[in-house]
Amino acid sequence: MDKSLQESFLNQILEKSEVSLTDDQWEVMHEFWDFLKSEVDFPAFLLTGSAGTGKTFMIRIFSQLIRKSGYKVVLLAPTGRAAKVISRRTKRPAYTIHHHIYASKDDGWGRVHFTLKKNREPKATIYIIDEASMIGAETETRGQNNLLSDLVQYVFDAEVPHKLIFVGDPVQLPPIGLNYSPGLNPYVLTRELDLNLYEGELSEVKRQHVDSGILENAIIIRDVFVLDTGEIPQLIPSRDMQLLDTPYEALDTYIGYFEEGNPDRVVFITYSNYQAMKVNQAIRHNLWHTDALLLPSDLLMVVKNNYSWGEAKEGLPFLANGEMGTVRYVHEESKETRYGLNWMDAEIEFITTGGHTTLIACKIVLDLLNNKQPQLDTAQLNLIARARQEEYIGLSAGQMREALRTDPYINALQVKYGYAITGHKAQGGQWENVIIGFEPNYSNDYKAYIRWTYTVFTRAEERLFLLNCPFIES
């Protein structure tokens, strides 16, 4: 593509957007043009930048230029929540990586296994991966590859030429168990995955964000982390960032902003699962004035991927870890204790990636609601599977496989209350109002503590409330 045509395409887009590019965005565009016209094997583009530098804006620009250049665009994210956020911001459909690249298959004994799909996209396509800092080493296939290498294999093991773009913030929390994000690491992408990598970095904060106190303080935290001087961030109060004096004030703030059926209205973020459990208990007691374990209107968070419940035709093919739902009906008569756990049937409303609501009727495990345990362990799951298999003895092999495939206990939804969640669970999401409850003991990893603080600060869209923040004078 010659330079005059490049400039023509870009001018058309910028006139519609009524915005201009910063200097570093222009530099990114030059690198992106080279990537777009490249004919090398396994081409990939890495776009990094912290909050407010315009990564989402660049995704919109990239998408339009890609389509004008004759490619198809597919927008992906590591989680359902992250996919919803980027879909809302770009006004384009977005999907989870997992659902897009894997095919599920029941093994006949109530367990779901996954295989990597064959990429049969007939048109040259560029895949844009947002929130790439969250892509870790996990996999649910039986092979040795992890999600990142499976993604690369899916994109490039095709009959037509495809390309890949990673977008993310390298200061955000890396996947659990790692001290870096593989999806944003040039060494991993080039040396381990053999990609021909083009890189662009955004550092200049866009003008429309300069009046944001939340962003101003996030940048202060970011700089302390990046420079690694050991200094303590000196945060500045602002109209959109307020200090809370007591836990009671934090509780009142949450309840004041809470809006039933709107999980993006407010969230309380904690460092630990234990603290999230205690805050959830306090919020429920003050919201509903009851000690009942589950109520209509309760906000729940899925804590383990579940492929048995979902509505593919409604844009919710499975219930992903971190998905938020509102309880609409509780079947009290179904409450029971079996296999050492407590169960109940409920109907839960979820919001699809397209912004619509869908009602899922399912069985849920109640034991995690008031427990710091993040999800059921393997021993518990195996006990349930063995017990259910024994109860189906006498059925034919085909009947048993079908019974196990649809078994409500094996496929029960693992959930926690969703009023208060940890920083890792919040990653990839955005809320209008965010309350952060700082805790006194963050182990001895001070730099990880700063990184956690930066990540949870950047979850807030409108207002941020701080309780017991050690970086600001009360």
Side-chain angles (χ1 to χ4, degrees):
M1 184 183 297
D2 61 44
K3 187 174 181 180
S4 62
L5 189 54
Q6 295 174 7
E7 292 178 352
S8 175
F9 282 174
L10 191 54
N11 286 334
Q12 291 176 37
I13 293 169
L14 292 178
E15 286 177 8
K16 292 179 181 178
S17 303
E18 297 181 351
V19 292
S20 59
L21 298 181
T22 61
D23 290 342
D24 60 355
Q25 287 174 343
W26 275 115
E27 291 181 13
V28 166
M29 283 307 310
H30 292 314
E31 189 75 8
F32 178 75
W33 286 123
D34 291 340
F35 161 76
L36 194 58
K37 67 183 180 183
S38 67
E39 296 182 358
V40 298
D41 293 332
F42 314 124
F45 187 88
L46 174 61
L47 175 64
T48 58
S50 59
T53 54
K55 295 188 300 298
T56 302
F57 168 70
M58 295 305 290
I59 288 176
R60 293 201 300 266
I61 297 292
F62 288 173
S63 298
Q64 294 181 62
L65 290 172
I66 289 167
R67 290 196 301 274
K68 284 181 175 292
S69 300
Y71 287 90
K72 178 180 176 180
V73 179
V74 174
L75 188 56
L76 302 175
T79 67
R81 174 168 287 278
K84 289 175 186 175
V85 170
I86 192 61
S87 179
R88 185 181 77 237
R89 289 181 166 186
T90 61
K91 296 180 173 57
R92 290 190 54 80
Y95 313 94
T96 63
I97 299 171
H98 192 285
H99 177 66
H100 198 79
I101 73 172
Y102 292 127
S104 61
K105 184 178 181 180
D106 185 86
D107 69 352
W109 300 101
R111 296 182 295 263
V112 178
H113 296 293
F114 298 88
T115 56
L116 190 62
K117 294 178 182 175
K118 174 67 177 175
N119 190 340
R120 303 189 186 281
E121 174 57 54
K123 184 175 181 179
T125 301
I126 297 183
Y127 296 83
I128 302 178
I129 316 301
D130 193 33
E131 295 287 359
S133 64
M134 298 172 66
I135 303 176
E138 75 286 351
T139 183
E140 296 193 57
T141 64
R142 290 179 166 179
Q144 298 300 311
N145 290 349
N146 58 37
L147 180 61
L148 180 59
S149 55
D150 278 348
L151 170 64
V152 170
Q153 181 178 337
Y154 172 83
V155 169
F156 294 111
D157 187 13
E159 296 180 359
V160 294
H162 299 317
K163 298 187 179 187
L164 187 56
I165 298 175
F166 295 98
V167 181
D169 184 343
V171 185
Q172 283 200 37
L173 286 170
I176 293 176
L178 298 176
N179 58 11
Y180 68 98
S181 296
L184 298 181
N185 188 297
Y187 180 89
V188 171
L189 298 177
T190 57
R191 299 297 183 88
E192 296 183 12
L193 297 174
D194 296 322
L195 299 179
N196 279 299
L197 192 64
Y198 297 76
E199 296 182 60
E201 181 181 5
L202 299 173
S203 58
E204 184 179 346
V205 175
K206 291 287 288 181
R207 286 194 300 273
Q208 62 263 38
H209 297 305
V210 295
D211 293 330
S212 168
I214 296 172
L215 184 58
E216 179 184 11
N217 283 286
I219 292 170
I220 292 173
I221 299 167
R222 176 203 67 186
D223 290 345
V224 167
F225 176 85
V226 172
L227 296 175
D228 196 18
T229 61
E231 296 179 0
I232 295 175
Q234 300 297 317
L235 305 186
I236 306 166
S238 63
R239 57 177 176 77
D240 55 1
M241 191 185 84
Q242 302 176 32
L243 297 183
L244 301 173
D245 295 326
T246 67
Y248 301 104
E249 187 179 1
L251 190 59
D252 287 343
T253 300
Y254 183 96
I255 292 171
Y257 283 110
F258 177 76
E259 184 179 305
E260 181 191 332
N262 182 5
D264 296 331
R265 176 67 171 158
V266 62
V267 70
F268 196 119
I269 301 179
T270 68
Y271 188 80
S272 66
N273 281 299
Y274 176 77
Q275 191 66 18
M277 178 190 73
K278 302 300 289 185
V279 175
N280 274 315
Q281 291 172 345
I283 289 174
R284 290 190 74 252
H285 180 76
N286 283 268
L287 267 178
W288 312 126
H289 307 289
T290 178
D291 293 326
L293 198 58
L294 194 64
L295 297 166
S297 301
D298 253 328
L299 180 61
L300 299 180
M301 177 182 63
V302 177
V303 295
K304 182 178 175 58
N305 287 351
N306 190 296
Y307 305 93
S308 299
W309 309 104
E311 294 289 347
K313 63 182 179 181
E314 299 293 340
L316 194 73
F318 70 100
L319 297 179
N321 185 357
E323 198 80 56
M324 295 283 192
T326 301
V327 177
R328 289 305 180 200
Y329 194 83
V330 175
H331 295 272
E332 289 283 353
E333 74 284 356
S334 69
K335 187 176 180 180
E336 60 176 336
T337 301
R338 299 180 76 173
Y339 321 117
L341 295 169
N342 298 285
W343 315 81
M344 184 183 288
D345 295 338
E347 296 174 33
I348 308 173
E349 180 182 271
F350 292 93
I351 300 175
T352 69
T353 53
H356 306 293
T357 59
T358 185
L359 195 64
I360 304 294
C362 59
K363 188 177 291 294
I364 66 172
V365 182
L366 297 174
D367 299 75
L368 294 172
L369 292 174
N370 282 322
N371 192 320
K372 67 178 182 179
Q373 180 182 353
Q375 56 184 230
L376 296 184
D377 59 37
T378 302
Q380 290 172 303
L381 295 173
N382 288 338
L383 186 151
I384 296 166
R386 286 194 299 269
R388 297 304 287 170
Q389 288 172 18
E390 290 174 3
E391 293 181 29
Y392 292 129
I393 290 176
L395 297 179
S396 68
Q399 290 172 326
M400 180 177 284
R401 284 195 296 270
E402 179 61 20
L404 290 170
R405 186 184 68 81
T406 60
D407 186 87
Y409 297 92
I410 292 175
N411 298 319
L413 202 58
Q414 297 185 39
V415 293
K416 285 184 172 292
Y417 299 122
Y419 309 99
I421 64 178
T422 64
H424 270 102
K425 289 293 186 185
Q427 199 167 358
Q430 294 277 282
W431 288 263
E432 295 174 33
N433 306 280
V434 171
I435 304 167
I436 303 174
F438 289 83
E439 299 173 42
N441 182 16
Y442 293 87
S443 73
N444 296 320
D445 194 340
Y446 177 73
K447 193 169 184 182
Y449 173 20
I450 298 296
R451 197 173 203 172
W452 178 87
T453 304
Y454 171 81
T455 300
V456 296
F457 258 64
T458 53
R459 301 307 94 205
E461 292 183 321
E462 295 182 10
R463 287 169 289 271
L464 183 61
F465 301 89
L466 309 179
L467 177 65
N468 298 327
C469 179
F471 303 132
I472 193 166
E473 294 183 5
S474 57

